[in-house]
């Protein structure tokens, strides 16, 4: 059990959260372009 608490404590949660938000922003750009192209390109 000490291994699990040490592992959870050593994880850098702030870095994981920042990388997750960055990934969502990077994925959102092409996703919007794909949706616009699928709907006919009307903004």
């Amino acid at each position: 059990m000490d291994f699990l608490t040490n592992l959870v404590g050593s994880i850098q949660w702030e870095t994981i959260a920042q990388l997750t938000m960055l990934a969502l922003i990077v994925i959102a750009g092409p996703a919007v372009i794909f949706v616009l192209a699928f709907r006919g390109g009307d903004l």
Side-chain angles (χ1 to χ4, degrees), residues 22-36:
L22 178 64
L24 290 175
I25 292 170
V26 168
I27 292 171
V32 168
I33 294 172
F34 176 76
V35 168
L36 286 175

Side-chain angles (χ1 to χ4, degrees), residues 4-24:
L4 288 177
T5 55
N6 190 15
L7 180 65
V8 171
S10 65
I11 293 176
Q12 296 177 347
W13 295 107
E14 184 177 355
T15 304
I16 292 175
Q18 288 177 350
L19 288 175
T20 302
M21 294 300 159
L22 178 64
L24 290 175

